Amino acid sequence: MGKLWAISIASIFILLPFLGNAFSPESPTDRRVLVLLDDSAIKSSHSIYFNSLKSRGFDLEFKLADDPKIALQRYGQYLYDALILFCPSVERFGGSIDLAAILDFVDSGRDLIIAADSSASDLIREVGIECGVDFDEDPSAMVIDHIGYAVSETEGDHTLIASDDLIKSDVILGSKRIEAPILFRGIGHSLNPANNLVLKVLSASPSAYSANPKSKLSTPPSLTGSAISLVSIVQARNNARILITGSLSMFSNRFFRSGVQKAGEKTKHEKSGNEQFLTEISKWVFHERGHLKTVNVKHHKVGETDEPALYRINDELEYSVEIYEWSGKSWDPYVANDVQVQFYMMSPYVLKTMSHNKKGVYSTSFKVPDVYGVFQFKVEYQKLGYTSLSLSKQIPVRPYRHNEYERFIPAAYPYYGAAFSMMAGFFIFSFVHLYSK
Amino acid sequence: MAAPETSTAAVPTLYTNNTLRNAFGGVLSFFILLLIGVMAFSIRLFSVIKYESVIHEFDPYFNYRVTQFLAKNGIYEFWNWFDDRTWYPLGRVIGGTVYPGLTLTAGTIWWLLNSLNIPLSVETVCVFTAPIFSAFASWATFLLTKEVKGTGAGLTAAALLAMVPSYISRSVAGSYDNEAVAIFALIFTFYLYIKTLNTGSLFYATLNSIAYFYMVCSWGGYTFIINLIPMHVLLCIVTGRFSSRLYIAYAPLVVLGTLLAALVPVVGFNAVMTSEHFASFLVFIILHVVAFVYYIKGILSPKMFKVAVTLVVSVGLAVCCAVIAVLIALVASSPTKGWSGRSLSLLDPTYASKYIPIIASVSEHQPPTWPSYFMDINVLAFLVPAGIIACFSPLSDSSSFVVLYIATSVYFSGVMVRLMLVFAPAACITSGIALSQSFDVFTRSIKFQLPGISSSMEVDAVETSSATAEAQNDAVKTEKSEETSKNRPSKKSKKKEKEKEEKPSTKAKAEKRLLALPLDSSVIFLLLLILLGAFYVVHCVWAAAEAYSAPSIVLTSRSHDGLHVFDDFREAYGWLRHNTDVDDKVASWWDYGYQTTAMANRTVIVDNNTWNNTHIATVGTAMSSPEKAAWEIFHSLDVKYVLVVFGGLVGYPSDDINKFLWMVRIGGGVFPHIKEPDYLRDGQYRIDSQATPTMLNCLMYKLSYYRFVETDGKGFDRVRQTEIGKKYFKLTHFEEVFTTHHWMVRIYKLKPPKNRIRGKTKKSKSKTSSASSRGKRSGTGKKNPWQ
């Protein structure tokens, strides 16, 4: 299945992520976010997180999840560019929001942050399932780790976990290393390994398991070890980004500020890694990092500047494309050495890594293969954490015209000679035969 | 019917003055020919009158599109046209893969008319090309038959050909296909060959090569000419009829014809490299050997000649063995033994069905049934044997050619129903000869026995008696007028022949009287013959009006509540043209490829030019695969829309479900995981509840019967006359975007890959209910109009 999706082909130059999405390359700033809460107390208890978003220019609108007036869209226009669901226990949203509305919201390219906890309702679980995340089905289960727990004043049930098993990606987590472990208390979820859209950002340690902390374990837990994901991100095919976590409290001011010491470790960090981790990852979710765009796809024959309607076999051509990355404020040139272009007809006839000038212009030149047909210039760029680029541009390649072949082939001179000498011979013979008598 | 009347009408106008009579006959036959031409043209207009002036069927749409391109861009662009809208993504070099004769002909006519300020559209020209050329074809038939058996036979044959149903089926107005001009080219080439053979004129030989070139340009059937003429030459040599005329008729044709044929891009080096052409070269060699032997015989004494013969025969055998060995080696070195699949299936009728399903699947490549002979040539089938007998009395070079022509074409028509078209002219010529000879006999008998005029008629009767003698006379006359000094020996021999012919005919004068049939039986037979002819005319007009004038893109059916018109194809193509992107790719079974490119102007994956079996097999495999696998195949080919033709609602039998087994076979030929038995229940092809699960889950079934049960609540298929097996199902990877008024064409769009991938847990209830309600909503829009 994954392989199939990878072969995403479009007839002409399409950039799926940009078609009427919230994150538009034209006006990427000034974004409206709807935050749905179970309880208005969360607004103050999680204020550090919300303030960090506001300080980055987001326009947050807080509503209770069962507010009868809430709506995601009006007159077919979405009112928000992102949605934060900090309402784990909600059974029914108020207003016009339901499961399908949230999924349509995501499918329109808008972003979503979901935080569940041990009281997660079926509705929240279903949103997770639709996005490819399976929360532990046991409603009373929490993630327990008797080795990787966070040391605290009261010896508890080891459900407060200090985890530092992070994904290694600068795009997702920022270039600054997260030193302190991240505090987590909540439910775990698992991912389908075949699902290539979802990524495990923070995973539990191998000693963790998911079970009801209050009762004795009678059967082996269904989720164990590092198969448990604590925080996952999803990048949908239209590049909508989703953050899913099983812990609402990890966003709280208390977790942000508290110090952390992982059991069995000496070092006690003054401050948990939560703030850095969640802020950085929210930058990724809200497209402030890792969002690429391509512009100015050009191709032409070597020595010309105009784009031809079709090429001839064995033409020399040049192909160039500009790739930029959104930095949160402006489009900066994207610099990488692994962007490849294919000259493709059912299979790539040419596959070349493009060189760049550090200003975002990637270019290469190659010779059209000696095969005619309808080719495509394809750039399929999928890199961890970045939006996937999928460009294809159709271009026919024709064979030689009748007058483009070599006119006189040196190897054929004996035959030319034979033909002409034959004609001359025949003429002489006829002449002699007719007039000799 | 005009022709028989000529011979009867000619009787009272006999004068003793021969030249005046000939002149009158000439003028009369000129007008008769004109009328035959008008009839040939007008009998083919039923389709325009009953339907409209449109291009018919499948291949004509391609030819039409090519002609449009030619008219717009000129001949050089046409020659170098690389078409990127078919056979995606392979494309097709149109200029190098079509027989350009038809296109160039129509293009020239259009250009000529336009430069005369007659602004006809390309479509009009294309529609009427075939009727015009059928008039030409009947005139060519007249010329050919006249060369063989005289004017009377010629006129009869021309009249018969003008309305033979087999030819009408391929040349009604709108049937803009290669055969439309090719049949004319075929007959005309034969005429020029016979003409050359009769006159020995190098002028006609050159014309013959040019006519052959036109035929090569027009149709792949030219291989019939290049095999039939060598066969005839060989026949002449074997029967001791070798003459310099034969040499002149054949040698320039092979040399010039092959050179010219090689100029046509689609033939190219095939003209010297494929087995279809070997026979002509072999006979060319034999002809030279024979000519050489005759020459040697002339300069040596009989004794010396005998010695030379033994010497040459022993050496010749060795050389022959060597040549044959080389030939066999050459043939064996090519993978198909040098024969193309279509030709092989001609020689071995079971070849195609055994090895090449793509050839066997084409309906016009099937062997014909007996009724189709009666349908297509009608009473000619009974007249042909009589004509063959007439050709044998006396057997001349030209009449032996006709016999050979009919014998071979009967065989070929028995192999492939399409080649009925080659058989039809032969049948017309022989029947024309038969009819005119029998009319001759009967009218003469009546003339001899009618009191009063018999004495004066006697002389004339003798003169008109033998049609062959007349033909010979004609030949000699033309020889006299056209040839000046060349070919003296042949002319002399001709004169001698003529004298020989004359002598027995004068002797026969007395016998003729005795041979005359009784008056009353002659009259009865004459009436019966006229009745037969009348029956033929009635049948031909019926066939032209009812059977063969349907354009097949518009269908009609007459029921108790009046006439129904089914214009679904154009509706669907129009929808595609107006509602899809210019570069979208449409997948369908190859039958509809030409129409889609021409009418909808959308890129197709495969079309009726079945040059790439693998590509067609890919589409066949997709159609016979389950939905998901099919989606993957189509998606890998960038397909956006899938078009299926479905006749179950209105009872249109040639729909995709009925063609489906061919898709399975062709697909399975390349991709062995598709197995025909999986689609058959106990060897039976069925779509009802007894059908196999593979059948009920394949894409073709699903796309054809999706929501079909909503039409009548039962899902009763009117073509298969049964209720369908699986009635309620949903499509997961395709969505219906358009279904025509009578459900004959259904267009589906490939769903894009899902934006998100779901987790493992089962689907929620709310989701499914919303999806089903959506399905219902779209379903209410369409209702079966015929329930």
Side-chain angles (χ1 to χ4, degrees), chain A residues 1 4-5 7-9 11-12 99 103 106-107 126 129-134 137 192 195-197 236-238 345-346 372-374 376 394 396-402, chain B residues 76-77 79-80 82 84 88-93 581 583-585 615 628 631-632 635-638 640 733 752-764 766-767:
Chain A
M1 200 68 172
L4 156 71
W5 300 135
I7 316 167
S8 78
I9 299 163
S11 53
I12 314 181
L99 174 67
L103 295 175
V106 170
D107 289 345
E126 248 165 45
I129 288 165
E130 288 294 335
C131 298
V133 165
D134 299 308
E137 281 173 48
N192 181 2
N195 187 341
N196 57 356
L197 298 178
R237 284 213 174 72
N238 62 0
M345 182 179 76
M346 302 221 272
Y372 57 80
V374 183
Q376 291 171 57
Q394 183 175 314
V397 173
R398 66 170 172 85
Y400 287 117
R401 287 172 64 92
H402 69 280
Chain B
Y76 280 107
E77 286 302 312
W79 188 359
N80 291 302
F82 173 70
D84 57 349
Y88 180 85
L90 305 168
R92 179 183 170 194
V93 187
D581 228 35
D583 275 325
D584 281 346
K585 282 88 192 167
H615 223 51
K628 191 177 157 193
W631 188 92
E632 284 170 26
H635 194 237
S636 73
L637 288 168
D638 296 357
K640 265 275 193 60
H733 291 74
K754 274 196 192 130
N755 193 33
R756 297 161 281 109
I757 302 175
R758 292 188 77 252
K760 277 175 273 185
T761 329
K762 275 183 184 156
K763 234 181 178 182
S764 66
S766 61
K767 185 80 182 164

Side-chain angles (χ1 to χ4, degrees), chain B residues 79 95-96 98-101 213 216-218 259-269:
Chain B
W79 188 359
V98 290
Y99 287 99
F213 175 58
V216 177
C217 280
S218 304
L259 278 175
L260 288 170
L263 293 181
V264 182
V266 64
V267 177
F269 280 104

Side-chain angles (χ1 to χ4, degrees), chain B residues 132-141 143 161 167 178-191 211 214-215 218 425:
Chain B
I132 291 170
F133 269 79
S134 58
F136 292 166
S138 47
W139 293 334
T141 310
L143 292 172
L161 185 102
Y167 184 31
N178 287 337
E179 289 92 332
V181 297
I183 291 303
F184 158 72
L186 179 89
I187 301 171
F188 198 65
T189 311
F190 285 154
Y191 157 67
Y214 184 64
M215 176 70 189
S218 304

Side-chain angles (χ1 to χ4, degrees), chain B residues 326-338:
Chain B
V326 168
L327 266 182
I328 289 173
L330 268 179
V331 168
S333 66
S334 74
T336 57
K337 305 278 175 280

